[in-house]
Amino acid sequence: MTTSNAARIRGVAASPGVAHGPWVRFERKAHVSRAVVTDPEAEIARLMAAAEAVGRASDHLADEVRAAGHADEAEVFSAHAMIARDPDLLDAAAGRIRADGANAIAAISAAATSVADQLRGLGDALLAGRAADIIDVGDRVARELSGLTGPDMRLVEPSIVVAEDLPPSLTATLPRDRLLGIALEASSPTAHAAILARAYGIPAVVGATGLLAMLDAAGRGSPLALDGESGEILVAPTREDLARYETRARAIQRDRSRDADEATLPVVTTDGTTIELLANLGSPSEAAGAVASGARGVGLFRTEFLFLERSSPPSEDEQADAYGQVVAAFAPHPVTIRLLDVGGDKPIPYLPLKDEDNPFLGVRALRLADRRPDIFVTQLRACFRAAVKGRVKVMAPMVADAADAATFRLLVDRARAELVAEGQRIGEVDLGVMLEIPSAILVADTYLHELRFVSLGTNDLLQYTLAADRGNAALERYRDSLHPALLQLIRLAVESADRSRIELSVCGEMAGDPEAALLLVGLGVRQLSASPSSLAAVRRAVRAAARSDLERIAMSSLRDASAADVRLRLRT
Ligand code: PEP
Ligand code: MG
């Protein structure tokens, strides 16, 4: 059915591709129970048994997803099994049963909601995404307690699934041959629903405010169309809209095969300068796609993912295994593993930190090393062990000066000495730091000679240079990576790296924007690391440009007054 007028919503693009068809709404069932508890200890025993049943079922689901060839997605459900058995969550629920006389269903639902709310309130998209996992597990324990088991939703015909948010357990178990797309009112591209959608190649749009009300108004029979690249959702698309979507689908298909064909092309400017394109990854599951996109290594492996949604840090073995997978996938090309970048605004439950007034200016990343050197030493030990599988580079985040770089090297020395004393097999690793704090660039000559490489984290560098919180929507005007102040710092960094004869790359989002990437080449950057999906466009841009032109434009742009002036200069 088509109508004469579609309702349009602009959400956040979460997984590329277009889809259209009927929609099915997933709704979390409320598991309310007013049962009065007469024997709190017996109720707690019931809760524990249900939680263990969910833990076992999650282990089973992890095995199934793994057997289907998605080993890394399976980790989500292994993490769910851990959440179901998390003593803190269960103690909180048991406390509600003992103190308030709540029944087990109400107690686990309230305990899970409270933890999820805390995560959402931290203002961090990644942690907010993890809230869905806690709610998912809490729901499943509540369902188990009420005797409701089995899937919440069946797709009888190929459909787009719509929801406020989608529990990861459901996302992974929906029949993929009938799942056309996913449209979520809430959630973010870094939440597990989106991560799984990308891993399975299902088009998805998230953060589509107003979607559910619009669907209610349109009625059950009206179809839906979504574009996972632009973030557009159409309720009741017209015949013309559908024709446009079909054209888009064909174009996406053509683009993908062209990108795949071009993935092996050398990335060389028209006047012969070679640029290395590397991938930014957040989990080992992205490695295969990144290799296929032509990445010649990993310029940034964000390890935070491995540490979230669990009640204790991943063991050294787990980390060595995860890093080893990525290293083996890219060998002989290098994989740059970044040490944990949490703390401040990105707390993790098993790392109790003090509340801070300015978390972005607080105890974040390497600054945690004073209090918890063990976390970094374990991580470094895992890196040395993974290095027997290929080339490993290790990078410290949030380095401000030579003293921070020295702290990093001490941690590395300790990890290496321990492994050698134990007679473990280790490989060599190159050491480097992120340049994402202006001071680290201004005094770079005092410590770069002790390192093998540096990588510019332009996301944080922009935030700290312009004093503009990277998550504050009201400061959009300052968040332009073509700002001449940022360009001047980048140029200083390139000159310092040249003087110390060490490698320099850019791994902030700027490197994945074709226009900004060209300016980086003009400023002297020869390695760009970006999300695998951005590499094709950057490759095309570099292959069409002359380095001599880019240098002239970039050097002039250092004296411009604004990002807008730089953009104009680039385009004209
Ligand atoms: C950066 O700051 O540019 C960066 C690459 O790191 P993150 O975005 O993870 O802080
Ligand atoms: Mg950063």
Side-chain angles (χ1 to χ4, degrees), residues 272-290:
T273 297
T274 298
I275 304 300
E276 271 179 66
L277 292 192
L278 307 148
N280 288 356
L281 303 186
S283 78
S285 65
E286 296 160 46

Side-chain angles (χ1 to χ4, degrees), residues 338 341 364 436 460 470:
R338 180 175 73 181
D341 182 5
R364 178 181 163 189
E436 52 185 347
D460 276 315
R470 63 193 267 188

Side-chain angles (χ1 to χ4, degrees), residues 243-442:
R244 185 163 58 85
Y245 268 60
E246 285 299 337
T247 310
R248 275 279 294 142
R250 282 193 295 276
I252 288 171
Q253 205 46 50
R254 269 197 311 275
D255 285 355
R256 283 190 185 158
S257 52
R258 179 190 56 173
D259 290 352
D261 290 346
E262 291 181 1
T264 52
L265 289 180
V267 191
V268 185
T269 60
T270 54
D271 46 0
T273 297
T274 298
I275 304 300
E276 271 179 66
L277 292 192
L278 307 148
N280 288 356
L281 303 186
S283 78
S285 65
E286 296 160 46
V291 172
S293 70
R296 297 285 193 273
V298 175
L300 169 62
F301 180 52
R302 290 183 167 99
T303 55
E304 291 80 59
F305 269 95
L306 302 174
F307 285 74
L308 295 170
E309 62 180 74
R310 41 192 308 150
S311 52
S312 58
S315 68
E316 182 182 318
D317 283 353
E318 263 178 86
Q319 291 187 56
D321 183 52
Y323 305 152
Q325 282 177 44
V326 181
V327 172
F330 276 93
H333 301 300
V335 171
T336 312
I337 301 170
R338 180 175 73 181
L339 293 187
L340 192 59
D341 182 5
V342 293
D345 70 316
K346 293 191 218 166
I348 38 184
Y350 46 87
L351 260 183
L353 295 168
K354 292 202 187 86
D355 278 351
E356 297 176 312
D357 288 340
N358 291 300
F360 272 125
L361 305 179
V363 182
R364 178 181 163 189
L366 194 69
R367 295 171 174 189
L368 273 170
D370 270 357
R371 295 184 209 170
R372 293 296 305 268
D374 55 306
I375 292 198
F376 296 104
V377 171
T378 305
Q379 201 173 14
L380 285 161
R381 287 173 56 108
C383 292
F384 275 114
R385 286 173 53 193
V388 298
K389 300 209 166 109
R391 240 192 103 197
V392 172
K393 297 162 95 171
V394 180
M395 173 159 84
M398 287 291 287
V399 164
D401 55 19
D404 281 346
T407 300
F408 170 50
R409 283 186 299 109
L410 277 178
L411 292 165
V412 171
D413 290 345
R414 186 172 140 193
R416 189 196 286 109
E418 283 179 12
L419 291 164
V420 169
E422 291 161 20
Q424 298 239 31
R425 237 186 108 217
I426 61 171
E428 258 328 297
V429 304
D430 284 353
L431 302 186
V433 300
M434 289 200 69
L435 297 179
E436 52 185 347
I437 303 178
S439 61
I441 296 176
L442 296 171

Side-chain angles (χ1 to χ4, degrees), residues 75-290:
E75 291 308 318
V76 174
F77 303 107
S78 300
H80 281 196
M82 244 176 283
I83 296 171
R85 295 174 179 126
D86 180 357
D88 292 341
L89 180 68
L90 296 176
D91 282 353
R96 286 170 193 266
I97 297 174
R98 278 198 196 98
D100 311 337
N103 62 54
I105 294 178
I108 188 67
S109 301
T113 305
S114 151
V115 175
D117 284 349
Q118 271 171 25
L119 290 175
R120 287 198 193 98
L122 294 169
D124 179 85
L126 201 62
L127 289 173
R130 301 295 91 78
D133 296 283
I134 312 270
I135 293 286
D136 189 7
V137 173
D139 260 13
R140 279 187 293 142
V141 175
R143 265 207 311 271
E144 183 73 28
L145 282 159
S146 43
L148 291 171
T149 46
D152 278 303
M153 188 170 174
R154 307 203 172 273
L155 297 182
V156 285
E157 59 175 336
S159 309
I160 294 173
V161 168
V162 301
E164 173 73 26
D165 199 354
L166 209 52
S169 59
L170 190 66
T171 316
T173 49
L174 284 169
R176 281 195 276 295
D177 52 334
R178 277 165 281 148
L179 179 58
L180 299 175
I182 294 173
L184 303 181
E185 169 111 14
S187 196
S188 79
T190 46
H192 270 128
I195 292 168
L196 290 166
R198 284 195 292 274
Y200 295 148
I202 300 161
V205 175
V206 300
T209 313
L211 171 67
L212 299 178
M214 211 175 262
L215 288 175
D216 284 344
R220 186 67 193 84
S222 45
L224 201 64
L226 67 84
D227 182 338
E229 228 153 287
S230 69
E232 180 185 71
I233 298 180
L234 298 175
V235 181
T238 62
R239 231 178 274 286
E240 291 72 38
D241 290 325
L242 290 183
R244 185 163 58 85
Y245 268 60
E246 285 299 337
T247 310
R248 275 279 294 142
R250 282 193 295 276
I252 288 171
Q253 205 46 50
R254 269 197 311 275
D255 285 355
R256 283 190 185 158
S257 52
R258 179 190 56 173
D259 290 352
D261 290 346
E262 291 181 1
T264 52
L265 289 180
V267 191
V268 185
T269 60
T270 54
D271 46 0
T273 297
T274 298
I275 304 300
E276 271 179 66
L277 292 192
L278 307 148
N280 288 356
L281 303 186
S283 78
S285 65
E286 296 160 46

